């Protein structure tokens, strides 16, 4: 990962953390959130869209560990990297 990409991912992750704190979202000590919260952070209307991406192999890395009742969880840093890697520079 190049330095510019790493900086953008860290900034995005910091924004996610602030949003989670402001909206009372449960974040585990290792930085994971449940699937529905991850979907909201990524701008999807519901977790079904994120689930479809995951099942097709196109979604961000995920964990099959329960967080706040969700069977699937995502690390905020992984979400940030996934978003920044999809950035179009055109």
């Amino acid at each position: 990962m190049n330095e510019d990409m790493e900086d953008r991912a860290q900034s995005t992750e910091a924004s996610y953390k602030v949003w989670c704190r402001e909206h009372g979202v449960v974040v585990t000590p290792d930085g994971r959130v449940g699937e529905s919260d991850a979907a909201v952070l990524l701008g999807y209307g519901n977790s079904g869209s994120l689930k479809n991406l995951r099942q097709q192999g196109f979604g961000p890395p995920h964990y099959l560990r329960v967080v706040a009742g969700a069977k699937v969880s995502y690390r905020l840093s992984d979400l940030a990297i996934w978003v920044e890697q999809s950035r179009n520079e055109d």
Side-chain angles (χ1 to χ4, degrees):
M1 183 170 18
N2 69 40
E3 189 174 327
D4 182 50
M5 173 37 200
E6 189 174 326
D7 290 344
R8 289 194 325 258
Q10 287 177 354
S11 177
T12 299
E13 180 185 2
S15 296
Y16 289 166
K17 287 178 180 178
V18 169
W19 188 90
C20 287
R21 194 171 29 250
E22 289 175 351
H23 291 86
V25 172
V26 173
V27 179
T28 64
D30 66 346
R32 290 180 295 122
V33 296
E35 187 167 38
S36 61
D37 293 319
V40 171
L41 283 169
L42 295 174
Y44 293 109
N46 60 58
S47 60
S49 298
L50 190 54
K51 178 181 179 180
N52 288 339
L53 285 171
R54 183 180 75 249
Q55 290 176 337
Q56 295 170 8
F58 298 116
H62 65 282
Y63 295 84
L64 298 176
R65 297 283 182 249
V66 176
V67 171
K71 293 180 183 179
V72 177
S73 59
Y74 295 84
R75 195 178 298 258
L76 293 174
S77 59
D78 289 338
L79 296 176
I81 291 167
W82 186 74
V83 164
E84 293 303 330
Q85 286 177 334
S86 66
R87 180 179 171 165
N88 186 342
E89 297 287 340
D90 292 342

